Amino acid sequence: IGKVLSDGNVMGISGKIIGEAINGDIVVSNDDKVVGYVNFDGKIIGKDANIIGRVLSGELAVDLGNKILGKIYKIGATILGNDGKYKGRITPEGKVVNATGVNIGYVKSNGSFINLDKNVDGYVLGEVAKNRRN
């Protein structure tokens, strides 16, 4: 029906603001594709709007047969570069855009940020925090 802008507003196909995105999660599969979106009740909704799974603890999504669908990431989550500096944020499509909204890469299921040259160039902020606990 439209797209989410960087300020959280939703612009419809006609170019008018039709709402606001309050929160959202995407499910990134092991082959690094967005396979669904987390509904408010913890169910995973596929791109065809059907229920395809559910959320488990540890930010993991499983299908209706309890097989792993992928990892859950917050839409808008911060991406840090290998140097620890801000690179961008995650879009609903699993892409990473910089502060001006330009596509600069995508997120892999393991939380790595892959740049347009197909190199690991950073991580989802939450993943960095988890990996540095030890």
Side-chain angles (χ1 to χ4, degrees), residues 76-92:
T78 297
I79 303 297
L80 294 180
N82 290 330
D83 58 1
K85 294 183 180 176
Y86 178 83
K87 284 282 192 181
R89 61 182 171 77
I90 301 175
T91 70

Side-chain angles (χ1 to χ4, degrees), residues 108-127:
K108 290 182 60 87
S109 64
N110 67 359
S112 296
F113 160 57
I114 306 300
N115 65 21
L116 296 176
D117 294 327
K118 304 213 184 296
N119 296 318
V120 175
D121 199 15
Y123 299 89
V124 178
L125 180 58
E127 292 302 306

Side-chain angles (χ1 to χ4, degrees), residues 27 35-37 43-54 62-65 67 69:
V27 178
V35 294
Y37 303 90
K43 293 180 179 153
I44 309 294
I45 307 299
K47 293 185 177 190
D48 61 358
N50 290 319
I51 296 172
I52 61 170
R54 62 190 171 89
V62 294
D63 66 15
L64 297 174
K67 293 183 181 172
L69 271 174

Side-chain angles (χ1 to χ4, degrees), residues 24-39 42-47 50-56 59-63 67-75 90-95 107-111:
D25 296 329
I26 57 175
V27 178
V28 179
S29 68
N30 288 335
D31 61 353
D32 306 323
K33 306 266 189 269
V34 175
V35 294
Y37 303 90
V38 179
N39 207 354
K43 293 180 179 153
I44 309 294
I45 307 299
K47 293 185 177 190
N50 290 319
I51 296 172
I52 61 170
R54 62 190 171 89
V55 174
L56 292 180
E59 299 166 352
L60 198 60
V62 294
D63 66 15
K67 293 183 181 172
I68 295 174
L69 271 174
K71 188 116 191 281
I72 298 169
Y73 292 100
K74 281 261 181 251
I75 296 170
I90 301 175
T91 70
E93 296 82 29
K95 295 181 180 175
V107 172
K108 290 182 60 87
S109 64
N110 67 359

